């Protein structure tokens, strides 16, 4: 009788004994409660509209719960409301009106973007880039006076983006309709960008067009020591005679 | 909870595919020699000043160090192991096709040492053979890939009769089983899956003739 009781006590103590694993689990649960408690509280303390605003702001890249909350509160401050309203109106107007340029596919609210409509641009030169940001980058050099074609992406078979999805035929139509003498393939120096450039080049071979590709090399003002081997290798291969 | 960190140092590897993750990171699928296909997260590799950015490109032999016990590891270090294979036109597309095959067919963290070496030699062939057709190298790689995955084909025996394949007969390939002899006048003689014994023998010997390639 006594022995049975002792056994029972032992088994109970065995059950209750805190192993390192158990302590860690308890600690983790405690930590989780500490973290999740304020989160769940915030969800409930905000009014539905404010919550909707915060959640909508989170669609921007690099904006999480915290930043979205800060932005929402900032816009709701008395002296910022006017600016906030301007932002809202511009946002709505821009998202409805801005479409792709008929010729180069970059973003514009007109049928032709400024560069395509300009008469001072060389119509014989065409630079093919991946995104409107790349157009800006090349424009900032002030050394290119031709026109652009924005692909809005690159070929990536693994992500299901082939020539049809990219709309390369719009580019090929331009070769037929315009008098282009040189195509500069300025896609990114990644494998996908390279593949896109090679694809376009192979499709244009039969056309009387000069096809060039942007050079890969060392950045200006950099130190050779800190350049990655791959870039340096390309720079070595494409070296120039002085 | 015991903390067990699994560190993997300087693994010979190739990047198969990478996709952007958050603002400045990327999730990279790579093919390592010792551990097969591994997914790693490269933190901050898309930052402007990151030295990893130029290195984490496909077709560049790398030494990767990563850690983690879950399926997604964290990349800690990366350096080049050799020069990048410069691929052009058809060869570039072929190499991308190989990467796609590996990405879709290999199980995670299952080592394929032999396959890794063949992958490297195929890339070398593709980079060397500027103008020649890449088909030979591709078929060879596909053959080794099938064998490594356990779907190797018996190139020697008829699966129904267990007799040696003869060079002047025609055989029909039944997926999942193997080759079987076709009698004269069989409706399958001109089927895309029917081969001459000679073609089978040369495929088995990895002897990729120009005229045999379309049959393979």
């Amino acid at each position: 009788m006594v022995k049975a009781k002792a056994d029972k006590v032992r088994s109970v103590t065995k059950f209750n004994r805190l192993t390192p694993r158990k302590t860690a689990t308890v600690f983790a649960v405690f930590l989780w409660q500490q973290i999740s408690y304020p989160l769940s509280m915030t969800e409930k303390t905000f009014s539905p509209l404010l919550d909707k605003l915060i959640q909508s702001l989170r669609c921007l890249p690099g904006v999480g719960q915290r930043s979205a909350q800060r932005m929402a509160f900032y816009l709701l401050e008395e002296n910022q409301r006017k600016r906030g309203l301007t932002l809202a109106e511009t946002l709505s107007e821009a998202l409805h009106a801005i479409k792709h340029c008929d010729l180069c596919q970059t973003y514009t609210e007109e049928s032709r973007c400024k560069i395509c409509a300009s008469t001072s641009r060389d119509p014989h030169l065409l630079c093919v880039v991946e995104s409107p940001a790349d157009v800006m980058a090349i424009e900032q050099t002030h050394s290119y006076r031709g026109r652009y074609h924005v692909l809005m992406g690159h070929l990536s078979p693994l992500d299901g983006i082939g020539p049809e999805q990219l709309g390369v035929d719009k580019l090929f139509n331009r070769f037929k309709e315009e008098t282009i003498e040189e195509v500069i393939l300025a896609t990114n120096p990644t494998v996908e960008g390279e593949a896109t450039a090679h694809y376009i080049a192979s499709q244009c071979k039969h056309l009387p067009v000069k096809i060039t590709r942007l050079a890969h090399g060392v950045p200006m003002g950099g130190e050779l020591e800190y350049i990655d081997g791959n870039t340096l290798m390309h720079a070595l291969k494409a070296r120039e005679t002085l | 909870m015991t903390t067990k960190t699994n560190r993997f140092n300087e693994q010979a590897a190739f990047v198969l595919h990478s996709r952007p993750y958050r603002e400045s990171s990327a999730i990279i699928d790579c093919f390592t020699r010792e551990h097969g296909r591994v997914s790693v997260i490269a933190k901050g590799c898309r930052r402007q000043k990151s030295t990893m950015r130029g290195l984490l490109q496909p077709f560049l032999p790398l030494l990767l160090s990563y850690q983690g016990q879950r399926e997604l590891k964290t990349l800690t270090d990366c350096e080049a192991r050799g020069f990048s294979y410069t691929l052009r036109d058809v060869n570039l597309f072929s190499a991308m096709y190989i990467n796609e095959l590996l990405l879709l067919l290999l199980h995670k963290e299952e080592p394929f040492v032999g396959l890794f070496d063949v992958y490297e030699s195929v890339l070398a062939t593709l980079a060397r053979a500027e103008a020649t057709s890449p088909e030979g190298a591709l078929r060879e790689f596909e053959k080794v890939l099938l064998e490594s995955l356990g779907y190797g084909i018996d190139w020697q025996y008829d699966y129904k009769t267990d007799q040696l394949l003869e060079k002047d007969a025609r055989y029909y390939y039944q997926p999942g089983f193997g080759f079987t002899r076709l009698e004269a006048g069989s409706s399958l003689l001109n089927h895309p899956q029917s081969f001459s014994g000679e073609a089978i023998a040369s495929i088995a010997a990895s002897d990729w003739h120009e005229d045999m390639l379309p049959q393979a």
Side-chain angles (χ1 to χ4, degrees):
Chain A
M1 182 73 182
V2 175
K3 193 173 175 282
K5 203 178 174 184
D7 270 353
K8 202 178 171 189
V9 167
R10 201 176 298 140
S11 66
V12 167
T13 46
K14 198 178 176 188
F15 181 73
N16 282 335
R17 202 170 59 207
L18 280 176
T19 56
R21 200 187 174 87
K22 257 186 216 164
T23 344
T25 321
V26 168
F27 186 62
V29 168
F30 172 73
L31 261 183
W32 172 243
Q33 279 171 348
Q34 294 298 308
I35 298 164
S36 63
Y37 181 63
L39 276 181
S40 59
M41 278 301 282
T42 50
E43 271 167 27
K44 276 166 200 160
T45 39
F46 292 151
S47 68
L49 192 56
L50 183 51
D51 194 49
K52 198 181 166 191
L53 175 62
I54 293 171
Q55 293 310 315
S56 313
L57 282 168
R58 284 187 62 178
C59 76
L60 292 168
V63 176
Q65 177 75 26
R66 275 276 163 182
S67 325
Q69 216 170 291
R70 220 179 62 221
M71 287 178 190
F73 289 154
Y74 180 79
L75 291 172
L76 289 171
E77 273 171 31
E78 273 318 311
N79 45 358
Q80 297 297 340
R81 294 234 169 176
K82 215 176 163 188
R83 287 190 191 177
L85 278 175
T86 323
L87 172 69
E89 280 157 20
T90 322
L91 200 61
S92 155
E93 203 183 327
L95 288 179
H96 283 110
I98 294 181
K99 293 188 172 64
H100 295 284
C101 168
D102 287 347
L103 268 185
C104 72
Q105 308 302 316
T106 196
Y107 294 127
T108 179
E109 66 271 27
E110 288 144 12
S111 64
R112 292 259 166 110
C113 72
K114 271 193 171 168
I115 295 174
C116 290
S118 162
T119 47
S120 63
R121 291 274 172 169
D122 185 356
H124 305 305
L125 261 180
L126 186 75
C127 181
V128 180
V129 292
E130 285 184 17
S131 72
D134 299 338
V135 174
M136 289 311 296
I138 296 181
E139 276 302 286
Q140 273 168 7
T141 63
H142 297 291
S143 57
Y144 178 69
R145 298 302 300 161
R147 288 179 176 166
Y148 294 93
H149 188 89
V150 185
L151 291 170
M152 294 288 169
H154 49 225
L155 291 182
S156 182
L158 284 172
D159 301 313
I161 302 169
E164 298 89 46
Q165 283 79 12
L166 204 55
V168 191
D169 41 330
K170 279 182 185 153
L171 174 64
F172 298 144
N173 282 340
R174 292 188 72 175
F175 290 132
K176 284 177 205 153
E177 287 157 13
E178 295 169 43
T179 49
I180 294 163
E181 283 167 11
E182 185 180 347
V183 183
I184 304 165
L185 296 170
T187 48
N188 287 339
T190 56
V191 166
E192 286 90 359
E194 209 70 20
T196 315
H198 281 303
Y199 174 75
I200 295 171
S202 66
Q203 297 291 309
C204 303
K205 256 182 193 155
H206 60 284
L207 297 168
V209 195
K210 186 180 167 193
I211 304 162
T212 51
R213 173 98 178 95
L214 223 57
H216 312 286
V218 293
M220 295 294 284
E223 285 167 58
L224 286 191
E225 192 186 345
Y226 297 109
I227 294 167
D228 68 275
N230 206 7
T231 309
L232 206 54
M233 187 194 76
H234 274 106
L236 265 177
K237 268 191 185 167
R239 64 185 181 272
E240 285 175 348
T241 30
L242 287 178
Chain B
M1 246 179 271
T2 48
T3 44
K4 192 180 78 183
T5 39
N6 294 345
R7 285 172 195 277
F8 303 90
N9 287 323
E10 305 200 333
Q11 300 288 324
F14 279 95
V15 170
L16 293 179
H17 185 53
S18 67
R19 50 184 190 276
Y21 175 66
R22 292 205 176 156
E23 269 296 87
S24 59
S25 308
I27 294 175
I28 291 166
D29 280 299
C30 40
F31 182 34
T32 60
R33 189 168 190 275
E34 310 291 328
H35 302 278
R37 190 161 77 83
V38 179
S39 288
V40 296
I41 174 161
K43 288 184 178 160
C45 80
R46 279 161 62 227
R47 282 208 187 97
Q48 204 153 31
K49 284 189 175 168
S50 170
T51 48
M52 276 187 196
R53 206 163 57 141
L55 287 175
L56 289 171
Q57 293 290 334
F59 318 125
L60 173 66
L62 292 169
L63 286 175
L64 296 181
S65 303
Y66 52 90
Q67 59 184 38
Q69 22 179 352
R70 302 286 170 87
E71 203 181 305
L72 187 64
K73 318 281 189 210
T74 310
L75 190 68
T76 49
D77 192 30
C78 136
E79 53 187 288
R81 185 161 50 90
F83 287 127
S84 171
Y85 294 105
T86 329
L87 304 157
R88 304 181 67 90
D89 299 320
V90 189
N91 291 345
L92 176 63
F93 300 135
S94 313
M96 288 176 94
Y97 159 72
I98 291 184
N99 273 7
E100 193 172 344
L101 279 185
L102 288 180
L103 199 63
L104 295 176
L105 293 177
L106 294 191
H107 288 289
K108 277 191 178 169
E109 298 189 43
E110 200 181 323
F112 293 97
V113 178
L115 189 65
F116 184 87
D117 296 338
V118 174
Y119 176 73
E120 203 163 356
S121 70
V122 167
L123 284 188
T125 321
L126 289 178
R128 219 181 312 117
E130 278 287 312
T132 56
S133 121
E135 276 192 55
L138 288 187
R139 297 297 93 81
E140 174 68 22
F141 183 78
E142 283 165 359
K143 195 181 115 187
V144 179
L145 178 63
L146 282 176
E147 277 162 15
S148 330
L149 288 172
Y151 292 97
I153 297 165
D154 189 347
W155 305 104
Q156 282 189 323
Y157 294 97
D158 186 321
Y159 81 94
K160 274 188 185 159
T161 57
D162 277 342
Q163 279 173 347
L164 276 170
L165 300 186
E166 284 164 34
K167 282 203 171 179
D168 41 358
R170 260 194 107 70
Y171 294 89
Y172 176 72
Y173 175 65
Q174 181 78 39
F177 292 93
F179 292 101
T180 185
R181 186 171 187 146
L182 289 175
E183 297 308 322
S186 162
S187 59
L188 291 168
L189 274 177
N190 291 320
H191 193 274
Q193 283 177 7
S194 81
F195 304 93
S196 70
E198 204 181 345
I200 297 170
S202 56
I203 293 172
S206 301
D207 179 12
W208 307 99
H209 290 302
E210 290 289 314
D211 53 326
M212 291 294 179
L213 282 173
Q215 293 187 46

